[in-house]
Amino acid sequence: MAASSPEERIELVRRGIQAYNAADFGAMLVLVDPDVVIESSVELMNAGTFRGHDWLARWIGAWNDAWEEFQNSPEEIVPVGESHVVARIIGS
């Protein structure tokens, strides 16, 4: 789903996080670009760079296997350039 304005891109990220937190992964994937890149910090259990829907699903699966319940909260969402955002997300 493409968004043109910075506000629309930020809103897409917020909706994706809400879908994740509701365990509605199908709704989340509809909002995520097929070429998504996740860069997970080395401080986390499944650190690395993950590309595409398949790797996103595996990355999420690893979190869900490790935690009985896991919620994400966006700490910062910043538009970058004409078509991207960078999101810093805190999990709990």
Side-chain angles (χ1 to χ4, degrees):
M1 175 175 280
S4 57
S5 75
E7 293 80 13
E8 289 173 321
R9 294 191 312 265
I10 290 169
E11 181 57 26
L12 280 176
V13 171
R14 290 188 192 287
R15 288 177 40 206
I17 293 168
Q18 289 171 345
Y20 175 89
N21 288 340
D24 190 349
F25 304 118
M28 185 191 76
L29 285 177
V30 169
L31 301 171
V32 176
D33 187 286
D35 296 322
V36 64
V37 176
I38 297 97
E39 293 185 9
S40 188
S41 172
V42 296
E43 288 86 15
L44 300 175
M45 69 174 194
N46 58 342
T49 300
F50 306 90
R51 291 180 170 83
H53 279 184
D54 288 342
W55 280 104
L56 174 61
R58 290 178 190 184
W59 185 71
I60 288 171
W63 279 106
N64 292 339
D65 288 345
W67 303 97
E68 186 172 312
E69 183 176 328
F70 192 84
Q71 297 285 298
N72 286 304
S73 300
E75 187 168 283
E76 182 178 27
I77 305 171
V78 179
V80 177
E82 296 295 318
S83 60
H84 296 88
V85 295
V86 173
R88 186 164 28 127
I89 299 169
I90 303 299
S92 59

